[in-house]
Amino acid sequence: MKYKRKKPKTEKTGRISRRGFLKGAGITAAGTVLAGSGVLKLQAQTEEKDKTLGPDAVNIKIKVNGHVRQLSIEPRTTLADALRKELQLTGVKVGCNRGACSACTVWIDGIPVLSCMTLAVEVGDKEVTTIEGLAKDDRLNPVQEAFMEHDATQCGFCTSGMIMTATHLLEHNPSPTEKDVKVALSGNFCRCGTHPKVFDAILDAARKM
Amino acid sequence: MNKFSWYEATSKVEAQREANSTVSETIQPDADPEAAVFKASGIDLLDLMKEGLSKPAKLVSIRNIPGMDEVSYNKEKGLRLGANVTLAGITANPQIKKNYLALHQAASHAATPPIRNMATLAGNLVQRTHCWYFRSKELVCFRKGSSTCFAHVGENENHAIMSYGYCVSIHSSSLAIALTAFDAIVEITDKNGKIKLVPMKEFFVLPSVDRTRETILKPAELITAVILPEPKTHTVSYYIKMGSRRSQDWPMAEVAVVAGLSGEKCKTANVVLGAAAPVPFISKAAIDAITGKTINETTATAAGEAAMQIAVPLSKNGYKIPVFKTIIKRAILSLGKPPENVIDWALPDRIH
């Protein structure tokens, strides 16, 4: 891997290499700097004391859709904001930003969670999957195709969250009943009222998968 | 959200060394600007922070402390659920579904599927009330330090109908309703590492006792587990949540019933109501109405009627009384039946 970053502020804070999931540009660069200036011992002493990150921007690594990405964010940055604003993964939609609508649903280690109620800094070395990561070899996944076939979107704002939830359902329950689908999707709100077509699309996708 | 620093704790000791306040303290006017509070999944905490009600200077993550999400079983001690077990984890646990059905039902009907994948057991217990006046940054209500409870004369359709003092907020945790009915015990590790075992019914604090908080937790005290006692033979349970919608939404009324049956006869009973009072409300009247009696339509109806005798509804929430009467009756009549044979009132089977 090739890192090209500005020199980290290790002399002052000594923070960068502390966390397992922060192994990134920081570590290589910090190691070099510290070895060069002979402060390795000092760093070892402060290691135990100060694991605090922030409140200003910190460098983190995050695994998204199979790629390791690096970003500099404040601890208060939600995963949704980090994905959308820092990594340009704008398929993630933020509806209510309070965990009520599930439009921002992504997977962390394969489990659907709300990216607006998750802090980017807490993802650690877990794997994030967004709607952009579902297509394989330029082919949409069956749920995405079924949503198009059944015209299951109107404004489309809730769609990526719906598809993340539905794909997870079909991976764990390949032949769901209509009720299974409704229960699984019960957190995903569509203000346009596309729910009937969404259920049809998911049941159809299940038949084709 | 305000800016804050972040600390990922790898042990309870480390977490307790870093934390110096509670989320409830950060909502008060005299909040410590340097407050450091625990965060597990943080669903409720982030909600309070996004509203600007809570502005902690530091969040101490307890989410990844090893062992805190474990479930263990011991025939004498019962079932011990680690504080970080998720609601989805409770729902998926076959032992809970078999022996503690009401808890399974409460967990599987709370919030939404993605929230249940994130939210933890302890976080569910310590979430603050969802009274909309309390949750609004613009209004400094009685619980936040003023002398006015806006709900008393305002929009109070979701508020308490019993056991309230001046503050008429209702308690938010559905799991607490079921856990109280099972006589569960909260395991709290205090700042010195000493373990306190507190019965669930003593864990919550009425606003008339202390309006600034809802639980007995003090700064740096950590819930480490909830312990469910081994169920006695022929113990059955049932939980019903009634919301204005079938999916998501907070309950307008909820009930958990745990009973020891001998044939059709009810030997022991516990009836706990949620969305009725500022804390989980143990309905002694309903318990007395079925204890020692045969469970049937008449006794179940009588229990609902008895439970609502002491209700004093506010200007807009009188509708809760018939709802409570109905769900108490339905829950009692559902006791002991296999779940597939009873109607799951909260499942969204009539969305369209």
Side-chain angles (χ1 to χ4, degrees), chain A residues 19 51 53 76 100 116 122, chain B residues 1 6 8 14 50 248:
Chain A
R19 296 167 54 77
K51 286 204 309 189
L53 298 176
R76 66 172 161 172
C116 80
E122 68 183 312
Chain B
M1 276 190 284
W6 175 258
E8 177 85 36
E14 200 186 325
K50 286 180 179 187
Q248 211 192 38

Side-chain angles (χ1 to χ4, degrees), chain B residues 117-160:
Chain B
N117 287 339
M118 304 167 75
T120 64
L121 165 60
N124 183 278
L125 296 181
V126 300
Q127 63 185 314
R128 294 306 311 268
T129 179
H130 281 77
C131 168
W132 41 40
Y133 296 107
F134 174 80
R135 292 267 165 176
S136 169
K137 196 192 170 198
E138 284 72 32
L139 298 166
V140 183
C141 78
F142 181 67
R143 267 205 189 276
K144 292 185 286 189
S146 86
S147 56
T148 309
C149 171
F150 299 97
H152 251 284
V153 288
E155 301 298 328
N156 54 29
E157 54 263 47
N158 293 325
H159 291 72

Side-chain angles (χ1 to χ4, degrees), chain B residues 18-238:
Chain B
E18 295 295 324
N20 62 13
S21 188
T22 65
V23 175
S24 292
E25 283 184 357
T26 64
I27 296 168
Q28 292 305 314
D30 59 349
D32 177 2
E34 298 299 315
V37 297
F38 294 130
K39 174 187 175 297
S41 179
I43 303 281
D44 192 46
L45 175 57
L46 292 189
D47 201 9
L48 292 164
M49 290 171 67
K50 286 180 179 187
E51 179 65 24
L53 290 173
S54 170
K55 293 176 182 169
K58 188 184 216 177
L59 299 190
V60 181
S61 170
I62 54 170
R63 193 72 180 92
N64 297 317
I65 296 178
M68 268 185 70
D69 58 354
E70 277 171 12
V71 177
S72 60
Y73 173 72
N74 176 318
K75 200 156 171 48
E76 272 147 40
K77 288 183 184 161
L79 189 68
R80 183 181 184 279
L81 304 173
N84 281 350
V85 175
T86 60
L87 270 53
I90 293 174
T91 302
N93 186 308
Q95 202 178 358
I96 294 176
K97 191 170 181 183
K98 181 167 169 271
N99 293 335
Y100 308 97
L101 180 64
L103 177 61
H104 166 85
Q105 292 170 312
S108 54
H109 292 137
T112 64
I115 288 183
R116 296 199 289 267
N117 287 339
M118 304 167 75
T120 64
L121 165 60
N124 183 278
L125 296 181
V126 300
Q127 63 185 314
R128 294 306 311 268
T129 179
H130 281 77
C131 168
W132 41 40
Y133 296 107
F134 174 80
R135 292 267 165 176
S136 169
K137 196 192 170 198
E138 284 72 32
L139 298 166
V140 183
C141 78
F142 181 67
R143 267 205 189 276
K144 292 185 286 189
S146 86
S147 56
T148 309
C149 171
F150 299 97
H152 251 284
V153 288
E155 301 298 328
N156 54 29
E157 54 263 47
N158 293 325
H159 291 72
I161 54 166
M162 52 181 64
S163 197
Y164 51 82
Y166 184 56
C167 167
V168 294
S169 64
I170 52 167
H171 190 258
S172 291
S173 169
S174 290
L175 296 192
I177 308 306
L179 290 168
T180 305
F182 283 113
D183 290 327
I185 290 160
V186 190
E187 181 192 291
I188 298 169
T189 306
D190 77 6
K191 206 168 174 154
N192 304 317
K194 219 180 113 209
I195 287 177
K196 286 195 286 190
L197 297 175
V198 180
M200 190 59 79
K201 60 183 172 192
E202 291 166 25
F203 180 69
F204 297 102
V205 178
L206 276 165
S208 50
V209 175
D210 186 344
R211 61 172 159 165
T212 67
R213 58 195 176 130
E214 288 179 66
T215 72
I216 60 164
L217 285 178
K218 296 197 188 86
E221 282 189 339
L222 195 59
I223 300 179
T224 39
V226 173
I227 301 159
L228 284 152
E230 170 77 4
K232 297 186 184 76
T233 35
H234 308 301
T235 296
V236 288
S237 65
Y238 210 81

Side-chain angles (χ1 to χ4, degrees), chain A residues 19-188:
Chain A
R19 296 167 54 77
F21 71 72
L22 293 179
K23 289 176 205 149
I27 294 207
T28 336
T32 321
V33 173
L34 290 168
S37 57
V39 289
L40 271 176
K41 203 180 163 197
L42 178 71
Q43 197 214 2
Q45 281 173 354
T46 51
E47 189 107 23
E48 181 60 29
K49 268 191 208 161
D50 189 11
K51 286 204 309 189
T52 307
L53 298 176
D56 296 323
V58 290
N59 296 318
I60 65 162
K61 265 171 79 172
I62 194 165
K63 237 189 275 176
V64 184
N65 299 333
H67 300 284
V68 178
R69 308 283 296 266
Q70 298 188 16
L71 56 166
S72 171
I73 45 115
E74 293 177 350
R76 66 172 161 172
T77 310
T78 62
L79 177 59
D81 280 350
L83 292 170
R84 284 179 56 82
K85 294 177 184 166
E86 304 290 327
L87 302 177
Q88 310 302 314
L89 294 168
T90 50
V92 178
K93 301 298 181 201
V94 179
C96 66
N97 201 21
R98 293 292 179 90
C101 74
S102 305
C104 66
T105 304
V106 300
W107 299 347
I108 294 184
D109 278 355
I111 296 170
V113 297
L114 303 176
S115 60
C116 80
M117 298 305 271
T118 305
L119 298 173
V121 75
E122 68 183 312
V123 175
D125 50 10
K126 299 190 186 89
E127 180 116 30
V128 179
T129 309
T130 69
I131 188 85
E132 288 90 346
L134 290 186
K136 291 278 177 310
D137 303 326
D138 287 339
R139 201 189 140 86
L140 294 178
N141 95 344
V143 181
Q144 288 174 303
E145 282 180 349
F147 266 62
M148 287 167 66
E149 277 170 32
H150 286 262
D151 195 15
T153 69
Q154 190 169 316
C155 82
F157 210 77
C158 67
T159 307
S160 52
M162 294 244 185
I163 291 175
M164 295 310 288
T165 310
T167 306
H168 177 265
L169 167 73
L170 297 189
E171 281 184 1
H172 291 82
N173 181 1
S175 42
T177 62
E178 191 176 348
K179 196 164 187 170
D180 292 338
V181 173
K182 287 177 180 176
V183 172
L185 271 282
S186 61
N188 293 81

